[in-house]
Structures are given as structure tokens and as C-alpha cells.
DNA sequence: GTCTATAACGGGATAGAC
DNA sequence: GTCTATCCCGTTATAGAC
């Protein structure tokens, strides 16, 4: 039995980019096949439950990425400002400067919403809680910390929608500069 | 020839709620039929080019709503603060306190994005420009006015995504209270 | 304008060979 | 693990009666 040409993680990564572009309902098996370079049968070998399982794997991958990259940066070395800016740089790169959409945001739409509400909630919560911890580290009061944490995620998501709608990455880039000032402002 | 039971405007309005819930790819003709109470044939009577034309009509309706409700409130009577708050109340009612999604936001996803980029851009622009005018009225400098206007739309969209993802309308409600303070703050 | 029926197509999913 | 072939169903779309 020949070793797979690409790892399962790599497959999930590629599936993610398809769901990110097209959303759940828009991501046909044909596109998922094209995007991964695997035939449909191979996809079903990896994911016996089909598309539903693929999206689930993608959401788990997104959650892991939030934990291992986003939150990890927030909990890393340096001042709160430096840590926040490292997280924003990771987002900037992941979202290609505002040209890509957010998988989570795109999976909140349509058929996927009901199917994956728990996973979505969990992923967003992890992200918010990571930011909340950072705010507390920065000496922000407990109540304000939660609000500012939610505000960051809210502004990232909103910037992606607006930049997508205007077909112009400017709002996203401006958001990246604005967020640190607001997040760390004295109360 | 019997008069139609509901007006074309009413049909478009109902189509809008379906696209708002399910996005473009998720809105099947069966759902559009259910949502309007019209048979498929009747839908094709109103929209000979099918779903593509339905979504176009919905986007035109959304644009008209932005002009005739959102921007109209911004240009209405009263202080800038009052006018902004009237717009936010209109949004609160339209989005059902954060429980509904935004049609525009949901049509930025998937197959619809390429198809309707011009209309989306135009709708978002009208909204931003209405807010920009209000900011200028309120004595905000030209440069800041544009940024604050974009920030409002960005925060509305972000709040809808986050509230949708967390399945909790709290972020949306908090955004409604926060926006007027930021928008009209001294520079 | 609306209905029933149906064509034409694409989507998700499976079977079995290799 | 991957391929080819195929099935079934939902979806889009059209035709024609009323």
C-alpha cells in the first residue's frame, strides 16, 4: 500500500481554503476534489461521511489554528501590545491582507449554521477568551476585558465582510492599525 | 386575468428573507417557493431568468432600503445624534435584535460574490456615504468622517457575524449602544 | 398567473476493480 | 488509496393546460 502523497492534515488544509472561498453550500464535491487534487473516491476514503465530515474536520482545524496560533501568540513572550500585534500579523497573513474571507464567518451562513452551531460557538469563544486573558494581563478590568475582546473579533469579522463587499482591502488594513490602540487604551 | 394576490414588491421582500437566511447557494427554488408561497412556475413568471434574477431583484431591494430607510433616517430631522440613533433603531428592527443575518453579508459568500460584486459594492458604498455625510454635518473632519462611517458599517456587519457565531445577540446589542459614542466623539 | 408534468442537469454518494 | 462507472435525488428550468 503506497504512502499517501499528501498528509491528511494537508488535505484538511486544502479543504479549508475551498470552504473559505465558497461557504458550505457553495463547496461542491467537484470543487473540493479540484481544490485538494484528490478524486471523489479518495475524499470518501478520508471522510466516509462525505461533505459533512469534511466541513467538521475543517472546523476542527480552524479551532486548532485559533488555539495553536492565535491564542498562542496572545500568550507568548513580550508586552501585551507586542503579543496583540503578533496575533494581528498572523491574521493579516492568513486572510491575505483582507482579500480572503474567514471560514468561520462563511460557515455561519446557510445550511452549515444549524449543523455546526456548537463548533462555531466554541471556536469564537476560544478566540474571545484568549483576547480576554490578554486584556486582563494588560491591567484592564474584568468587565471591560470581555467587551474589548469581543470587539476585536467583531471588528476582524466586520472588516472582512466590508472589504469583501467593497472589494477593497483598505478597511481591513485600517482595522489592523486601529485595534491595538483601542484594545489597550486606558479605561 | 386575475390580479396577483401579492405585489411584486411583496414577492421580492419575501425572497429577501430566504436569501438572508440561507445565502445564495443555500437558497433552493423549493425554499424560495415555500418562502414566497408561490409555485415555481409563478416565480419564473416574475423572474424569467430564475434564481439569478431573483437575487438581483433582492439586491436592488436591499439597495433601495438602504437609500429609503437607512440613509433617509441619516438625512432626516434632528441632531446628528438623533439621526444616527434612528438609523440604528431601524437596523435593530430589521436584524431582529441581532438574530437575523444581513443579506448583503450573506451574498458576499460563495457563488454570489463574483456574480454580484458590483451591486454589493454599490450598496455598501451608499450606506458608508450616508454615514459620511452625517459625520460631516456633525463637524467631523473629512478624513475622519470617512473612517468613522466605514467603522459603523464594519461594526454592524461584524456584530452580526459574531452574534451569529456565538448564537447570542449580546454583541449586537452592545454594538448598538457603543456606535453613537464613538461616531460622534470629539476628534 | 398559476398549476401539473417533465426535461436536463449537477450534486452527493456508493460499488467494485486495480 | 485511487480510478471508473454508476445510482439516486434534488435542483434548475421549461412546456403546455387551465
Amino acid at each position: 500500500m503506497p504512502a499517501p502523497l499528501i498528509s491528511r492534515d494537508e488535505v484538511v488544509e486544502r479543504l479549508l481554503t475551498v470552504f473559505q472561498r465558497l461557504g458550505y453550500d457553495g463547496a461542491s464535491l467537484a470543487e473540493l476534489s479540484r481544490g485538494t487534487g484528490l478524486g471523489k473516491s479518495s475524499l470518501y476514503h478520508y471522510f466516509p461521511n462525505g461533505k459533512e465530515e469534511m466541513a467538521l474536520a475543517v472546523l476542527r482545524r480552524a479551532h486548532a489554528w485559533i488555539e495553536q496560533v492565535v491564542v498562542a501568540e496572545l500568550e507568548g513572550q513580550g508586552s501585551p501590545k507586542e503579543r496583540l500585534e503578533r496575533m494581528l500579523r498572523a491574521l493579516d497573513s492568513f486572510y491575505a491582507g483582507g482579500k480572503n474571507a474567514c471560514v468561520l464567518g462563511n460557515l455561519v451562513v446557510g445550511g452549515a449554521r444549524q449543523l455546526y452551531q456548537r463548533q462555531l460557538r466554541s471556536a469564537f469563544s476560544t478566540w474571545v477568551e484568549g483576547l480576554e486573558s490578554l486584556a486582563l494581563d494588560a491591567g484592564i478590568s474584568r468587565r471591560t476585558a470581555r467587551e474589548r475582546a469581543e470587539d476585536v473579533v467583531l471588528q476582524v469579522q466586520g472588516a472582512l465582510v466590508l472589504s469583501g463587499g467593497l472589494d477593497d482591502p483598505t478597511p481591513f488594513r485600517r482595522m489592523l492599525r486601529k485595534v491595538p490602540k483601542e484594545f489597550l487604551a486606558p479605561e
Side-chain angles (χ1 to χ4, degrees), chain A:
Chain A
M1 43 179 166
L5 294 168
I6 56 177
S7 67
R8 188 191 161 97
D9 268 9
E10 177 63 26
V11 173
V12 174
E13 202 106 352
R14 295 185 188 182
L15 290 174
L16 188 147
T17 69
V18 180
F19 284 114
Q20 181 178 39
R21 258 189 313 118
L22 302 175
Y24 185 76
D25 296 310
S28 65
L29 284 194
E31 280 296 326
L32 293 165
S33 176
R34 260 183 24 85
T36 52
L38 297 176
K40 284 194 243 186
S41 305
S42 303
L43 286 177
Y44 274 89
H45 171 74
Y46 287 103
F47 309 97
N49 283 326
K51 185 164 139 173
E52 200 174 317
E53 191 178 353
M54 296 180 211
L56 202 56
V58 162
L59 277 169
R60 276 199 279 263
R61 185 80 189 71
H63 197 153
W65 188 80
I66 288 173
E67 282 170 340
Q68 290 156 23
V69 178
V70 177
V71 174
E73 297 288 10
L74 295 175
E75 291 173 345
Q77 298 296 311
S79 68
K81 182 167 194 289
E82 287 165 347
R83 290 187 257 159
L84 179 61
E85 280 170 353
R86 276 205 305 273
M87 181 202 77
L88 291 171
R89 273 198 295 278
L91 295 180
D92 189 22
S93 139
F94 185 67
Y95 296 130
K99 290 204 292 290
N100 290 352
C102 177
V103 217
L104 301 179
N106 274 4
L107 288 177
V108 175
V109 167
R113 169 106 181 239
Q114 307 246 349
L115 221 43
Y116 303 111
Q117 184 71 71
R118 296 167 66 85
Q119 287 79 7
L120 289 166
R121 184 185 177 87
S122 163
F124 279 112
S125 292
T126 299
W127 192 355
V128 169
E129 283 155 20
L131 283 156
E132 191 179 358
S133 291
L134 181 72
L136 293 172
D137 276 11
I140 309 282
S141 73
R142 183 158 288 281
R143 186 183 166 69
T144 308
R146 171 74 191 191
E147 294 183 357
R148 291 205 182 168
E150 283 180 1
D151 272 353
V152 171
V153 177
L154 181 157
Q155 292 200 46
V156 170
Q157 295 297 325
L160 290 170
V161 173
L162 185 59
S163 279
L166 291 175
D167 195 24
D168 171 9
T170 310
F172 181 79
R173 290 210 306 266
R174 205 161 51 69
M175 178 277 300
L176 289 180
R177 292 196 308 275
K178 182 173 164 247
V179 154
K181 293 179 204 163
E182 290 187 358
F183 187 77
L184 296 168
E187 294 179 68

